[in-house]
Structure formats: C-alpha cells, structure tokens
Amino acid sequence: MDTARTTDRGRSDADARPADGESPPVARGIARRGADQLRALLASRFAPNVASFLADRQPLVWLLALALGIGVAGAAILFRLAIGVFQLPWLMTMSERVASAAHAAAWWQILLGPTLGGLAVGLILDRMVPGRRPHAVADVIEARAIHDSRIDPKVGLMSAFLAALSLGSGASAGREGPVVHLGATLASYAVDRFHLSSSARRTLLAAGVAAAVSASFNAPIAGVLFAHEVILGHYALRAFVPSVIASVAAAVTARLYFGNFPAFVIPEYQITSYAEFPAFALLGLAAAAVAVLFQLALVATERITWQIEMALPVRTMLSGLCVGTIALAFPEVLGVGYETTDHALYQKLPMMLLLSLIAAKIVATAVSLAGRFAGGIFSPTLYLGALTGAAFGSIATGVFPEMASSHGLYAILGMGAVAAAVLGAPISTTLIVFELTGGYGMTIALLLTVSIAVGSSHALMGQSYFHWQLARRGLFLQDGPHRAITRRLTVAGFMTPIEAGSSPVREADAPWLTAADTLERALRAFDQSGLPHIAVVSEQDPTVVVAWADHLAALAAFNAALIEATVEEHR
C-alpha cells in the first residue's frame, strides 16, 4: 500500500516536473501576463498617435509633398525661361544680365520694351483676370487665413504668366513672389484632387511655398522657415516634415538643372574686429531707413496713381513708359536686377552710382507695382539692401580702414537687413543669407543688423508690406487668429435649416442674415439685436426664411475653430 502511494507520488512528482527546455506553468503564466501588459502599454501609448497620424492621411500628405517639391521646382525653371523668352524680342538676349544688355541697346528699345509690355499686361488684366490685378505672396497668406487654403488655378497660372511677361518686359519687380504664388497654386490644386482636411491643406500650402523659395534661392532650410514664418504664421511640427520633404526635393531638382550654385555668387568676407559691431548696428538703422522709404514709396505711389481715372491698359502702359524713361539714365533698374546686386556685392559700383540707384530702384519698383505690373518685392529688397550695405561699407572702410571689414560683408548684411524689414521675416531671411554665403562666420553680425533693422522698421511702420496689403483688403492678421476665424467661418457652418415647405416669412423690421455672411457679421447682429436667434433668409428673396442662426451655436463654432487653430500650432 505504501509502495503504491510512493509510486503514485513519484509518478505525480515526475509529471509535475517539466521536461528539459520546457517552462514551468507558473513561468509561462508570468510571461503571458508580461506580454499582455506590454501589448496593452504599446497600444495605449502608440495606437492613438498612429490612429491620428493615419486619420489625417499623413502618408498621403508626405507623398504629395514630394511630388509638389519636384513639380514646383520644374515650374520655377519654366518661369525663369519664360522671362527670357519675353525679354528676347527687345533686348535680343535671354540672359539674366539685363543691365549689360540694356547698356548696349538703343534708346528706343529701352522705352519700347516696358511700354508695350505694360500695354499687354493691362489688356490681359482688364479682360481676363478677376479683380483686375495680379496675385502674389499676400494672396497666399489670405488664402490660408480665410479661404481654406484654396487658390483658383486659373488665376494662379495667369498671374505667373503676367509676372513672366512683366519681368521679361523690364518691369522693376521680383520673381520670387510670383514663384511662391505659383507653388501655392499647385499645392491647392493637388489637395483639391484628394479632398484633404483643412489642416492638411494648410500643411501642403506651406510645402508648396517652401519648395518655391528653395528652388528660387537654392536655400532649402530658408524655404521651410519662410513657409512657417510668413505663410502659416506659426511653427507646427506636423507641417514641418512635409515642408522639408518638398523643400529638399525642390532644391535637388533645381540643382540638377542650374547646378549647385546659389542665386548670388558671394564674395570672400571677414570680420576684422569686434570693435566693428557698433558699425553693424548703424548699418541696421540705415537699412531700416531704406526699408521704410521703400514701403512709403510703394504705398504713396499706389494711392496717388489710383486717384487718377484712366483705363487699366493705359495705366500699365504709362507705368512702363516711366520705367523705360528711368532706365535711359539707369538701365540697372530694369527687371529683377540680380546683375547689379552682384556688382554691389563685389564693390564694382562707385559711391554716387550706389546712392543714385537706391533712389532710382525705389521709384521704378513703386511705379511698376502701382501700375499693376505683376511681380514681387523680394528681389528689389535684396537689390536695395546690397546697394545700401555697399555704400555704408565704403564709408566705414574709408573712415576706419584699419578696423573695417571687407565691403562685401557690409553688402551681405545690408541685403539681409532690408529684405527682413520689408518682408517681416527676420528668421527665414537670415537663413537665406546663411545659405547664400555657405558659412556661418558672420552669424552674430547678421543677427544684430537684421534685428535692429526689423525692430526699427516695425516701430515706424507697425507692420510688414504683406500685412499692409492685407489690411487694405480689410484683413488684419496681426490682431491674432480670432480675427481671421471670424472672417473665414460663415453662417452656413452653424445655422439650422428649416424643413422644406415650412419656411416662414420674415417680419419687415426683424434682423436677418444670409448663409454666406461671415461669423463676424453674425456676432455683430446678435450683439446689436440682443436676440438669441436670427433668421437666415434666401439670397434670392430676403423675405423668405430658410434657416435659423443661433447665438450659442455661433459662439460654439467660434470656440471650436479657435481650439483647432491652437492645437494645430502645437502638433
């Protein structure tokens, strides 16, 4: 009996013991629980983020950003070729050395080119373009702020065509602004095809702009920062990666065509002594003065010329004639002006010519843009900055020859300072100069000069040129995101429709709204009437009520949009 029990116990103990290489049941249970806990931890930690990433279709956004970078770079190349094509009939060259070609041309060619070009631009604007004006960077900012990042592709392509015609005809303006608008147009067209969310639309709009700046200057880092600083108005992590993808793709594509060269060939430079920093600060003040004069000239010329009644084609033709007349004495003002900018960087221009060209370029650019020639202001600001810096450097090296750095350094610093002050983009403009120079030896000097120029200009003007353009249209983005939201949202987004066949008739003295009215107008109507509900009437018959607008629903829509904007800035 005992033997049997012993045998059974031995058999039971043997059964309980695991075979070689087999985990005991307790260990297996612990391992399973550990694996389950790890899976739960991973699911709770990563699953929501991955789900959010996929819900906003970010893989598609990244892929579209790559395609945009390549496409925008190709468009930028075609745009520059188109400028040369329009330039060929009157200067007999497609080269960017416009000033040299103009010096060799007859006087009647200098007058005829901009004049006929202005007539052609005016006719096209008058008959084919909504609003009878070309579009540029300010319109991209407006599209992001109140039009859900939508840009009419016909207007975008027509504006690019008009810019190529204007610059090829000798108008004093920049080519980067039109390329930025063209890049944004291609981005808007792409996202329309895929029905992306508003956040993804803004991200790809920024990607198109980043690609445009990158392809124009061979400056991919600056392209990304410009898109965030100027277009988005904030730095969003989710928008950063697509912007980088587009910017790098554009830079690589442009380099395959143009070679690995920046927009300017920068001379050798050096900082001789730290005792020179007061001179760099003074250069910042001088750059601010030029930037303010330039903006005042743009504003004043616009107001004066549009007080004179005349047909638009006649206006643009006379503007071209004025530019041609200035060019008879100073051919350097024609077109983009990068050849003259290069000469200023290499100290090839005498002092009196530098000062004269600053005044002539300001007047020629103001007349060109006021006359509705298409073009931007980026190139003119770099032009004016290089001339200002070169002139200041000549004075500094003459007064303190043993301490002063090379003239080229002052020209580079001035170029960044004037551009940053006018554009209101100190960070991206500084990065453009960094990438143009190929080094960071002047970092401290550039930051000091740019910051003083931007701060001084802002103290006097209160806003950048882009924000002045938007303010003329009643869009005050400097007031914060809430102002843009109240103008972007419409009553259609929060009204409650009335069932068909039960539409009441509105009382004669009762307030009313339409579905297309902005949230701003709706909130004013609620405030003035004191009513919790206001009738939304038919646009065809203001006496027929089609929906009701609720005050609380309007405030809820406003708060939701504010929260969305804040979340986007921090994602």
Side-chain angles (χ1 to χ4, degrees):
M1 190 73 176
D2 293 339
T3 303
R5 280 199 297 270
T6 301
T7 304
D8 291 342
R9 188 185 306 112
R11 186 180 300 112
S12 299
D13 293 342
D15 291 342
R17 286 195 299 271
D20 292 343
E22 183 180 338
S23 300
V26 174
R28 286 199 299 271
I30 293 174
R32 281 196 298 270
R33 285 196 297 273
D36 292 341
Q37 290 175 353
L38 180 60
R39 282 193 294 270
L41 177 63
L42 293 176
S44 63
R45 177 64 178 170
F46 298 120
N49 296 329
V50 173
S52 174
F53 182 82
L54 296 176
D56 205 23
R57 305 170 71 184
Q58 286 298 301
L60 175 61
V61 171
W62 289 18
L63 185 61
L64 287 176
L66 176 62
L68 271 176
I70 298 172
V72 171
I77 293 170
L78 293 175
F79 178 76
R80 291 174 65 169
L81 291 175
I83 294 175
V85 169
F86 287 119
Q87 178 184 300
L88 183 62
W90 66 287
L91 283 183
M92 308 304 173
T93 178
M94 293 179 63
S95 168
E96 293 187 358
R97 300 180 63 82
V98 175
S100 297
H103 274 289
W107 66 268
W108 57 268
Q109 290 175 274
I110 303 301
L111 286 179
L112 203 59
T115 302
L116 293 182
L119 177 61
V121 169
L123 289 171
I124 295 173
L125 283 173
D126 194 39
R127 301 179 182 181
M128 302 178 64
V129 179
R132 302 168 72 234
R133 63 173 181 82
H135 290 211
V137 177
D139 298 278
V140 180
I141 302 174
E142 180 180 354
R144 188 271 306 167
I146 63 175
H147 297 310
D148 197 23
S149 302
R150 285 185 166 85
I151 298 175
D152 187 343
K154 293 181 180 179
V155 174
L157 294 176
M158 185 59 70
S159 293
F161 174 82
L162 287 171
L165 174 58
S166 298
L167 297 173
S169 301
S172 178
R175 70 185 179 204
E176 287 74 28
V179 174
V180 165
H181 189 268
L182 180 58
T185 300
L186 295 178
S188 175
Y189 179 80
V191 297
D192 275 341
R193 306 281 74 76
F194 292 92
H195 308 289
L196 297 175
S197 67
S198 295
S199 175
R201 294 183 68 90
R202 287 189 288 271
T203 294
L204 284 174
L205 189 77
V209 170
V213 175
S214 176
S216 297
F217 289 107
N218 193 11
I221 301 175
V224 173
L225 292 180
F226 181 87
H228 284 251
E229 186 176 23
V230 176
I231 304 302
L232 289 181
H234 62 262
Y235 294 90
L237 290 178
R238 180 160 288 188
F240 185 76
V241 174
S243 300
V244 169
I245 292 173
S247 188
V248 171
V252 171
T253 304
R255 288 175 186 181
L256 290 174
Y257 184 84
F258 294 113
N260 191 19
F261 298 102
F264 305 100
V265 180
I266 301 299
E268 294 293 330
Y269 61 87
Q270 61 179 359
I271 298 178
T272 303
S273 170
Y274 287 114
E276 239 183 319
F277 275 79
F280 298 150
L282 289 175
L283 174 58
L285 293 176
V290 172
V292 169
L293 286 174
F294 181 47
Q295 293 179 80
L296 289 176
L298 293 173
V299 174
T301 308
E302 174 89 6
R303 290 178 177 174
I304 292 171
T305 56
W306 284 90
Q307 289 178 357
I308 305 172
E309 293 289 338
M310 65 178 69
L312 181 57
V314 176
R315 187 184 303 277
T316 52
M317 182 179 67
L318 291 178
S319 296
L321 179 61
C322 290
V323 172
T325 303
I326 297 172
L328 290 177
F330 302 104
E332 293 84 358
V333 303
L334 291 171
V336 178
Y338 279 170
E339 180 187 5
T340 305
T341 304
D342 283 331
H343 288 167
L345 292 171
Y346 280 89
Q347 308 99 48
K348 295 182 179 179
L349 303 174
M351 173 63 77
M352 288 306 300
L353 182 57
L354 287 171
L355 298 176
S356 300
L357 286 178
I358 291 174
K361 187 66 174 180
I362 288 175
V363 174
T365 305
V367 169
S368 296
L369 296 181
R372 296 287 171 89
F373 274 107
I377 60 168
F378 210 129
S379 301
T381 59
L382 295 176
Y383 180 111
L384 293 171
L387 294 178
T388 301
F392 188 93
S394 296
I395 296 173
T397 54
V399 176
F400 301 105
E402 70 283 354
M403 294 174 55
S405 301
S406 59
H407 295 196
L409 173 64
Y410 285 95
I412 296 169
L413 297 179
M415 188 165 61
V418 174
V422 175
L423 302 177
I427 298 175
S428 53
T429 305
T430 299
L431 261 294
I432 286 177
V433 176
F434 282 165
E435 292 186 271
L436 288 176
T437 59
Y440 297 91
M442 68 172 76
T443 303
I444 304 176
L446 182 60
L447 287 175
L448 176 65
T449 307
V450 167
S451 62
I452 290 178
V454 172
S456 302
S457 175
H458 187 77
L460 293 173
M461 301 297 294
Q463 58 189 350
S464 70
Y465 178 69
F466 295 144
H467 284 116
W468 172 80
Q469 288 181 300
L470 294 171
R472 289 179 63 242
R473 307 172 195 175
L475 185 59
F476 301 92
L477 297 182
Q478 288 179 305
D479 293 342
H482 62 282
R483 189 69 176 268
I485 288 171
T486 59
R487 298 192 172 193
R488 184 181 77 239
L489 297 181
T490 61
V491 174
F494 60 85
M495 68 183 188
T496 303
I498 296 174
E499 295 182 4
S502 60
S503 299
V505 177
R506 181 181 61 86
E507 296 180 8
D509 57 346
W512 54 274
L513 297 166
T514 68
D517 283 335
T518 64
L519 176 62
E520 181 180 40
R521 186 182 185 283
L523 291 176
R524 282 207 193 104
F526 284 120
D527 180 66
Q528 292 171 0
S529 66
L531 297 173
H533 310 285
I534 293 180
V536 181
V537 301
S538 169
E539 294 185 3
Q540 289 74 29
D541 186 356
T543 63
V544 177
V545 179
V546 296
W548 288 99
D550 182 80
H551 194 185
L552 292 179
L555 293 175
F558 181 45
N559 291 333
L562 273 177
I563 293 172
E564 180 186 359
T566 303
V567 169
E568 182 181 340
E569 291 182 13
H570 294 85
R571 290 178 70 179

